[in-house]
Amino acid sequence: MKATFQGHRLQLVCEVFGDADDPVILFAHGGGQTRHAWKNAAAELAAAGYRCVVLDLRGHGESDWAADGDYTLGAFGADLASVADQIIGNGQRAPHIVGASLGGLGAIVAAGQIRPSAFRSLTLVDITPNMDPGGVAKIVGFMGEHAHEGFSSVEEAADVVSRYLPHRPRPAQIEGLQKNLRRHPDGRWRWHWDPAFISGVMKRSAISSVSDLEAAVRALEIPIHLIRGRMSELVTEESVSQFRSIAPDATYTDIAGARHMVAGDRNDVFTGAVRRFLDQIEGK
């Protein structure tokens, strides 16, 4: 079921899976992705007794683009806090949040700086405050490479993705990739996000450094789960050690055969890990 929420000065589109009376999981995708990145995980967790709210973040998918170009972590965090407020306002308990990469950083800011009571738990998917700079540069470089000129066809975009993700077989059917693209009046296909996002995403606003994000993690008073792709380009073993030193009670899952986009690489293992963590909190 498609729905909308009011974010921080803009509207966010989402898809909802599961029964209204079940505990809510709010999903926040990574930079350059859309809500469709969570489709399989949300369907499986809904079948396991969770109501899954899968967002398009600001500037992504079908959600509004920021008229003021604000794609700081503070803005993403404010959006997530606003959605949590509306879920609670609808008479439901505070949602659990699962945030990948950018979505995870936004969730840290939301729960650690903006609204401490926003979420019942936080699952970070392959993201920590102290990321590998080389991995960040690689991902941002990929996102920016074709942001303006786009692609002549969906097939060309699929070829570019396959070169970037050589560990994944190129899908025989590429129609699903079209959900992440938008055809413009010039006939070219471009990624389904605001080009201003790529220049704004690394700005920190009030959250201006690694130490600020670490302080936000230390401020969290909810259960935390860090899920890492063992072949991650962003989260090294050293990053994990540093994270566990500031969140010593956090649950940690290391998923073999997965890189940064864990749910896309090993959705079965990823979904199982999320479910075990949340079932324990919910007493299932």
Side-chain angles (χ1 to χ4, degrees):
M1 177 181 69
K2 192 171 169 181
T4 59
F5 282 96
Q6 185 61 41
H8 182 59
R9 299 198 299 267
L10 44 68
Q11 193 171 72
L12 304 172
V13 173
C14 72
E15 216 158 327
V16 182
F17 301 75
D19 296 333
D21 294 334
D22 288 339
V24 178
I25 309 173
L26 177 62
F27 287 84
H29 61 72
Q33 294 183 314
T34 69
R35 67 184 189 272
H36 301 294
W38 300 114
K39 180 181 69 174
N40 293 333
E44 289 185 29
L45 288 165
Y50 290 93
R51 185 168 177 83
C52 299
V53 177
V54 186
L55 282 178
D56 278 338
L57 298 182
R58 63 169 49 212
H60 292 69
E62 296 182 73
S63 288
D64 287 346
W65 290 6
D68 57 2
D70 189 357
Y71 293 107
T72 57
L73 293 182
F76 286 107
D79 287 342
L80 296 175
S82 176
V83 172
D85 285 347
Q86 289 163 74
I87 289 171
I88 296 167
N90 287 335
Q92 294 164 308
R93 297 180 69 183
H96 303 281
I97 187 163
V98 176
S101 198
L102 172 66
L105 294 177
I108 289 173
V109 173
Q113 294 278 341
I114 298 173
R115 191 91 72 253
S117 60
F119 310 113
R120 289 197 67 206
S121 73
L122 168 61
T123 295
L124 298 171
V125 186
D126 208 64
I127 197 68
T128 59
N130 193 345
M131 298 165 278
D132 181 79
V136 173
K138 180 180 178 182
I139 291 171
V140 172
F142 168 76
M143 292 173 61
E145 187 177 1
H146 296 277
H148 294 284
E149 71 272 23
F151 309 96
S152 62
S153 66
V154 177
E155 289 77 8
E156 183 185 351
D159 290 340
V160 169
V161 172
S162 291
R163 287 194 295 271
Y164 179 68
L165 301 173
H167 65 295
R168 285 195 201 175
R170 190 180 190 277
Q173 304 294 325
I174 60 172
E175 287 77 10
L177 182 61
Q178 195 166 317
K179 293 177 180 177
N180 294 323
L181 295 163
R182 184 183 284 189
R183 195 166 194 178
H184 287 238
D186 62 1
R188 306 274 302 173
W189 294 86
R190 293 177 176 85
W191 297 121
H192 211 312
W193 40 265
D194 185 351
F197 157 70
I198 197 64
S199 60
V201 68
M202 298 311 293
K203 294 178 183 176
R204 291 297 190 236
S205 185
I207 310 300
S208 58
S209 67
V210 169
S211 61
D212 292 322
L213 287 168
E214 289 181 339
V217 171
R218 288 192 180 95
L220 295 173
E221 296 182 352
I222 54 176
I224 304 170
H225 186 191
L226 172 61
I227 300 178
R228 172 182 179 247
R230 192 170 297 172
M231 301 185 297
S232 174
E233 309 95 307
L234 242 64
V235 180
T236 64
E237 291 184 4
E238 181 182 359
S239 299
V240 172
S241 295
Q242 291 176 350
F243 181 83
R244 298 181 82 179
S245 72
I246 62 173
D249 296 327
T251 299
Y252 174 54
T253 302
D254 188 35
I255 298 182
R259 291 173 64 176
H260 183 55
M261 290 187 280
V262 180
D265 289 341
R266 293 298 308 276
N267 184 69
D268 54 342
V269 182
F270 166 76
T271 304
V274 171
R275 181 179 176 182
R276 284 191 297 274
F277 174 70
L278 298 184
D279 280 357
Q280 187 172 23
I281 295 171
E282 294 290 341
K284 291 190 177 186

